[in-house]
Amino acid sequence: MRHLKAGRKLGRNASHRLALMRNLTKALIKNERIITTVPKAKEARRFAEKLITLGKKGTLHARRLALARLPDRKIVSIIFDKIAPRFADRPGGYTRIIKRHKRRLGDAGETAILELLKAGEMKAPKPKHQPAPRVESEPKVQEQAEPSEERPAELQAEQQEPQAEQGNEAKEPSEPKENES
C-alpha cells in the first residue's frame, strides 16, 4: 500500500528527480511558460508554488530556505522581487496547466503547458447553483377509486385483458402434473 507516499517518481531516483524539478522550475521562472509532459508539469507545479509561497513571506529565513531548495541566486531573486509581489493577495494557485493535444515524438507522451498566471488574473467564479424550487404538492387523490369517469370504457377493457392473461399464466403452473412419480 502506498499510504503517505505523495509525489511521482517519474522513473528517476531521488537526486535525478530533484535536479529535474530544479531545472523545470528555473525554466518556468525565466520564461514564465514551459512545455513538458503532464506528470512532470504536475510535479513541477508543486515545487514552484512552494518557492513562490516562500517568496511571498519575503524574510531572510524564507530566502535561505528557497536557496536550499533551488540553489540559483538569480532565479531566487527573481522569485522574491518580481513574481512573489505579483501574487501577494492570492492564496496559492500561482500556475496553470493546460493539456495539449499534440503528443511528444518518440514515446507519444501527453504534453502540457505549465505557465505562471498574469498579475491580477483570477479564475472566473463558478456560478452558484440555486436550489431547486420547492413544489408544494397537493394531497394525492386515489386514482383507482374512480377510473371509470376519467377513461373511456375501451381503455378499461384493454387494461383488464392483460390482467386476465396474467392471471391465467399464474394458474397454469399450479395445476398438478399427471406423471410426477
Side-chain angles (χ1 to χ4, degrees), residues 25 55 158 176:
T25 303
E158 289 176 9

Side-chain angles (χ1 to χ4, degrees), residues 165-177 180:
E165 291 175 10
Q166 290 175 357
N168 291 340
E169 291 172 3
K171 290 179 183 177
E172 289 175 3
S174 64
E175 295 176 10
K177 294 182 182 178
E180 288 185 5

Side-chain angles (χ1 to χ4, degrees), residues 143-162:
E143 295 179 13
Q144 295 176 355
E146 301 176 86
S148 59
E149 296 176 5
E150 295 177 4
R151 297 183 180 166
E154 297 171 2
L155 290 175
Q156 287 181 358
E158 289 176 9
Q159 287 180 350
Q160 290 176 357
E161 287 175 14

Side-chain angles (χ1 to χ4, degrees), residues 90-108:
R90 188 179 181 89
Y94 316 118
T95 58
R96 173 188 300 135
I97 294 177
I98 303 169
K99 292 184 181 179
R100 298 174 67 210
H101 294 289
K102 194 172 185 182
R103 293 204 171 231
R104 189 168 63 178
L105 289 176
D107 64 352

